[in-house]
């Protein structure tokens, strides 16, 4: 959902920036709608990850440190995005959104391959799973 939204945003902004495009207002409005839809998907899928996943996946002794690192990483990367986005849009225009489209598409295989599933497991089960050398794939 997130990657599709950014793909649509990229395409729509591209048409909006074409000087001879007959309806730039309509594609600009549609791109705004896809920004809002992106945040719906983001809220459903990723919003809680930096806050919840570190506490689920770390051992009992590392749980608070993992939560602190996850939270700090979340804020650092949010700050980075806020700082680089205006510069990227100024220098690359609509092509800057290709970067976010690729990032969002890359999340699917990364999560599938490297993030162990924690649903329906007790925290103690995760500890024993990781102590046995569990891997992300097929979990």
């Amino acid at each position: 959902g997130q990657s599709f939204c950014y793909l649509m945003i990229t395409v729509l902004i591209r048409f909006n920036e074409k000087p001879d495009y007959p309806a730039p207002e309509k594609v600009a409005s549609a791109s705004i709608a896809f920004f809002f839809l992106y945040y719906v998907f983001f809220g459903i899928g990723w919003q809680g990850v930096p806050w919840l996943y570190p506490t689920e996946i770390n051992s009992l002794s590392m749980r608070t440190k993992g939560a602190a690192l996850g939270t700090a990483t979340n804020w650092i990367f949010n700050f980075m995005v806020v700082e680089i986005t205006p510069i990227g849009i100024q220098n690359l225009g609509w092509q800057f959104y290709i970067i976010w489209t690729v990032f969002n598409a890359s999340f699917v295989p990364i999560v599938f391959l490297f993030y162990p599933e924690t649903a329906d497991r007790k925290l103690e089960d995760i500890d024993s799973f990781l102590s046995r050398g569990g891997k992300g794939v097929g979990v």
Side-chain angles (χ1 to χ4, degrees):
Q2 290 176 218
S3 183
F4 175 75
C5 287
Y6 259 108
L7 176 65
M8 293 304 298
I9 291 165
T10 304
V11 170
L12 291 165
I13 290 176
R14 168 64 180 121
F15 281 111
N16 182 56
E17 290 185 2
K18 288 180 91 170
D20 58 343
Y21 191 73
E25 298 86 14
K26 289 185 181 185
V27 293
S29 297
S31 72
I32 292 169
F34 276 103
F35 273 112
F36 280 98
L37 185 60
Y38 167 83
Y39 282 106
V40 169
F41 285 116
F42 180 80
I44 292 169
W46 279 106
Q47 186 67 40
V49 171
W51 312 99
L52 302 173
Y53 193 73
T55 59
E56 289 183 359
I57 202 64
N58 283 303
S59 66
L60 188 57
S61 63
M62 293 299 292
R63 202 156 282 150
T64 56
K65 294 175 181 118
L69 184 62
T71 303
T73 303
N74 179 52
W75 286 110
I76 289 168
F77 278 98
N78 281 338
F79 177 75
M80 181 197 70
V81 167
V82 169
E83 291 295 312
I84 67 169
T85 297
I87 298 164
I89 292 171
Q90 183 180 17
N91 291 316
L92 299 175
W94 68 272
Q95 295 169 329
F96 182 70
Y97 291 100
I98 294 171
I99 296 168
W100 300 130
T101 304
V102 171
F103 273 144
N104 279 280
S106 70
F107 294 154
V108 175
I110 288 171
V111 169
F112 179 76
L113 294 173
F114 301 111
Y115 284 58
E117 177 61 64
T118 60
D120 300 323
R121 296 179 189 231
K122 297 178 187 173
L123 294 177
E124 294 78 16
D125 295 341
I126 301 296
D127 283 346
S128 68
F129 170 74
L130 292 174
S131 68
R132 291 190 318 256
K135 302 277 189 267
V137 178
V139 177

